[in-house]
Amino acid sequence: GAVVSQHPSRVICKSGTSVKIECRSLDFQATTMFWYRQFPKQSLMLMATSNEGSKATYEQGVEKDKFLINHASLTLSTLTVTSAHPEDSSFYICSARDHGRAGNTIYFGEGSWLTVV
Amino acid sequence: DAKTTQPPSMDCAEGRAANLPCNHSTISGNEYVYWYRQIHSQGPQYIIHGLKNNETNEMASLIITEDRKSSTLILPHATLRDTAVYYCIVRSFTDKLIFGTGTRLQVFP
């Protein structure tokens, strides 16, 4: 079964509004989670590293004031797209590693489709 | 993280083995080779990973060359549900995975 869960799976918002996407680790604690963005027919692009209890680390070219990341607990990271524009419409995916699971494996959430109209 | 090179697309007949190659010529000694796949509109799914030795699990086999500069993912009996984009990723000590363009595998009846 899924070990990383995202919510919502699909969201439509109006231009100029903000939208929050949640990423939860199920049955394990994740001090670090990662957020990716994927446009149609393209690969996943890493946006930022979400660190529990501290500031997120953003990849070059990603606006930290636009994509707010909060990792307030060991099982939850949130990505808030502020003042959304149609060009922010994309598939957003998070990942986390279950340190307690054999194999040193990183798992991904199901993804969240954001459409800004 | 080291870069990987994969063919953009491949076809495979249902029931046959699908062999997906990956070049990672700049891989370092402590870097693992990971394979994920992504079916349309879903998050990536873990398949298998390895360091030096060949690996096999219920989904696939991973063959890594002795010099570790390339590897091959083998799906022994491809089904239509294996149609997806397959990503080969070299991972260092961090949990940050950098995705390349992957191989789009089309399994046909």
Side-chain angles (χ1 to χ4, degrees):
Chain A
V3 297
V4 177
S5 179
Q6 286 183 237
H7 178 81
S9 57
R10 290 183 179 273
V11 58
I12 300 173
C13 72
K14 291 185 177 180
S15 239
T17 63
S18 296
V19 60
K20 182 186 290 186
I21 300 170
E22 295 183 345
C23 177
R24 293 182 184 274
S25 56
L26 306 179
D27 300 323
F28 72 96
Q29 295 179 336
T31 55
T32 306
M33 292 183 175
F34 298 86
W35 285 97
Y36 294 80
R37 179 169 57 180
Q38 185 177 33
F39 293 108
K41 299 193 177 183
Q42 294 187 24
S43 186
L44 283 76
M45 186 193 79
L46 179 66
M47 298 176 67
T49 303
S50 174
N51 304 299
E52 188 270 333
S54 64
K55 291 183 179 180
T57 306
Y58 290 82
E59 297 297 305
Q60 192 172 6
V62 178
E63 299 175 60
K64 58 182 67 176
D65 293 332
K66 179 161 185 66
F67 298 100
L68 300 180
I69 292 172
N70 185 277
H71 196 149
S73 80
L74 286 170
T75 59
L76 174 64
S77 174
T78 59
L79 169 69
T80 301
V81 183
T82 63
S83 186
H85 289 284
E87 55 264 32
D88 297 324
S89 298
S90 186
F91 190 48
Y92 292 87
I93 312 165
C94 68
S95 71
R97 179 156 70 100
D98 181 359
H99 292 256
R101 205 180 264 245
N104 204 29
T105 302
I106 294 171
Y107 295 94
F108 287 81
E110 313 95 324
S112 299
W113 281 102
L114 169 63
T115 301
V116 184
V117 297
Chain B
D1 292 330
K3 283 191 173 180
T4 60
T5 305
Q6 299 176 252
S9 63
M10 294 182 66
D11 290 337
C12 178
E14 191 177 19
R16 303 296 294 269
N19 298 287
L20 291 86
C22 179
N23 285 325
H24 30 80
S25 58
T26 59
I27 193 170
S28 300
N30 62 347
E31 291 178 321
Y32 285 77
V33 179
Y34 276 73
W35 283 83
Y36 285 80
R37 72 180 182 184
Q38 187 178 26
I39 296 170
H40 183 62
S41 298
Q42 298 180 23
Q45 177 190 22
Y46 166 78
I47 301 173
I48 199 168
H49 75 279
L51 181 63
K52 296 179 184 177
N53 301 320
N54 298 336
E55 302 288 344
T56 296
N57 62 20
E58 64 278 4
M59 289 183 69
S61 294
L62 174 61
I63 308 298
I64 303 174
T65 58
E66 193 169 339
D67 63 7
R68 303 211 320 125
K69 293 185 177 183
S70 65
S71 61
T72 301
L73 178 74
I74 301 173
L75 307 179
H77 305 287
T79 70
L80 298 178
R81 285 177 293 182
D82 291 323
T83 292
V85 178
Y86 287 77
Y87 294 98
C88 167
I89 301 168
V90 171
R91 176 187 167 192
S92 63
F93 63 92
T94 72
D95 294 340
K96 185 192 298 190
L97 298 182
I98 305 300
F99 284 75
T101 53
T103 295
R104 186 173 298 275
L105 175 68
Q106 179 69 55
V107 181
F108 56 91

